[in-house]
Amino acid sequence: TKFALRLPTLGAIIALSSTTNGFITPSSPSSNIRGETALSMNKKKTKPRKSGGGGGGFAKKATAINIKTKKKATNPDFTYAGSIHPFPQSPTRIIAPESVLSIPDYAIDGVPKKRGSAYEIEIKTPEEIEKMRKSGRCAREVLDIAGRMVKSGVTTDEIDAAVHAACVERGAYPSPLNYRNFPKSCCTSVNEVICHGIPDERPLEDGDIINIDITVYLDGYHGDCSEMFCVGGKDAIDEKGRKLLQTTYDCWIKSMELVKPGVNYNVIGKTIEDYVKAEGFSTVRSFCGHGIGSVFHTAPNIYHYTVNQDLQEMQAGHVYTIEPMICEGFADPYMWQDDWTATTADGGRSAQFEHTLLVTKDGVEALTGKIETSPLQFWEEESAIREGIWLGTSEDARARANELRNR
């Protein structure tokens, strides 16, 4: 998710051209970024709200399924970049503590307390990896449930309600909920929305493209993934939209195919940027992937553009997300007044895919990879990089992918 650490959040010196919603934007790809901790879903610091009563996503006594939260005052003359505008939101849903295996430390007041290293990349133990396999599988199941709901007339709030229920049913806490006061259980980003779209009462329309970003917190560990969906199916999307989706998917797969021990992290961004530029698209620089585990966002930062310096090298046991955001036109984000929703500045569409990845001794494995019941999308069938479902490059991952293809 792009709820990425210092983004969030969600080394040397970094030159900053802007700070938006807690996300840090390097002034140029050659800026020295080693040690910086700007992940992908960061929210600027706000005064913590008092727990108890109303205002969080968690309650010690769940006497009602919804609570009301205060809305930030908005400027009625605010100009939106494209056709997507905010619609009314339902009250924030809450979770009874006994309904999930564990809750993250920000569930009550919205403030993350546990922080990972700014630079040192954690090597997960076998026990941690096993827990992350379970959280990854859970995230995948929930994402598939959400994706099956995508059709004309369905609201993103209805999708959020289903996500919330599916998480709780599996004993998982929906990680976005009350993370730095985010009001919903998932992110739904439609058309020109790059990331962090807040589910609301706008009905989906044929021809919309939507990214659904799911993160779950299961038994102390996060699993994070996102995928694109087409409202009305492939035939409802124009040719340029189909090309955007295919290019985004292929650059993502191409970058993940290179993941293995000993590879420098800078190959990811260069691979992505080179691929999409050749197809006439641009890659967002203001948000990045991130390490993940018991902490939502931690080292390493995963840049989806060329970084002209050596970064750290991958090692077996590293777990992180790759989640490129690719745009038709300008890739500069334009922030809405909710301090979360980031759209393209020119109203052009944006697309994104994301996996939680485990570096193995012989390659990489998608901990949030598709399962037996997952649908096959047209960009998987028509991929120029690797046709069919992608689960990783390790021997085990390739074998499982072949089993799914032959099912």
Side-chain angles (χ1 to χ4, degrees), residues 292-307:
I292 187 171
S294 61
V295 177
F296 201 166
H297 307 97
T298 185
N301 289 338
I302 303 299
Y303 302 99
H304 306 122
Y305 56 90
T306 301
V307 174

Side-chain angles (χ1 to χ4, degrees), residues 41-180:
M41 184 175 188
N42 201 3
K43 188 136 175 97
K44 66 183 181 183
K45 294 183 179 180
T46 57
K47 185 176 181 180
R49 290 183 288 185
K50 295 180 180 180
S51 60
F58 176 79
K60 291 185 177 180
K61 292 184 179 180
T63 57
I65 60 172
N66 290 322
I67 57 176
K68 293 183 178 180
T69 56
K70 293 182 179 180
K71 301 296 183 181
K72 178 182 176 182
T74 58
N75 177 5
D77 297 323
F78 183 83
T79 300
Y80 294 93
S83 63
I84 301 299
H85 294 191
F87 273 58
Q89 298 173 19
S90 65
T92 298
R93 298 173 177 88
I94 63 173
I95 291 179
E98 65 273 12
S99 65
V100 296
L101 294 176
S102 59
I103 62 170
D105 61 12
Y106 54 81
I108 295 175
D109 62 5
V111 180
K113 288 85 177 172
K114 185 178 181 181
R115 298 185 180 275
S117 170
Y119 182 67
E120 183 178 355
I121 304 173
E122 183 179 61
I123 295 178
K124 301 293 192 293
T125 66
E127 293 76 19
E128 289 177 308
I129 290 171
E130 182 57 30
K131 287 193 173 186
M132 295 207 69
R133 289 188 192 282
K134 292 178 180 178
S135 64
R137 166 84 184 210
C138 179
R140 166 51 56 184
E141 291 177 358
V142 174
L143 179 57
D144 287 353
I145 289 170
R148 284 192 282 271
M149 294 186 64
V150 173
K151 63 181 180 180
S152 181
V154 173
T155 69
T156 51
D157 184 70
E158 290 175 302
I159 293 174
D160 181 76
V163 165
H164 186 93
C167 288
V168 175
E169 180 182 351
R170 289 160 175 76
Y173 182 95
S175 302
L177 184 61
N178 209 31
Y179 181 79
R180 298 189 182 276

Side-chain angles (χ1 to χ4, degrees), residues 377-406:
Q377 303 270 32
F378 79 78
W379 43 80
E380 295 169 312
E381 295 179 305
E382 301 174 13
S383 176
I385 307 303
R386 190 169 184 86
E387 293 182 9
I389 290 174
W390 188 94
L391 297 180
T393 63
S394 69
E395 183 177 350
D396 288 345
R398 293 291 200 214
R400 290 199 309 277
N402 287 332
E403 289 177 3
L404 290 182
R405 291 189 189 101
N406 297 327

Side-chain angles (χ1 to χ4, degrees), residues 324-351:
M325 290 142 273
I326 308 304
C327 303
E328 287 181 315
F330 295 119
D332 297 322
Y334 181 70
M335 298 303 302
W336 280 8
Q337 297 176 98
D338 59 25
D339 284 340
W340 279 112
T341 307
T343 75
T344 59
D346 59 1
R349 289 170 294 187
S350 180

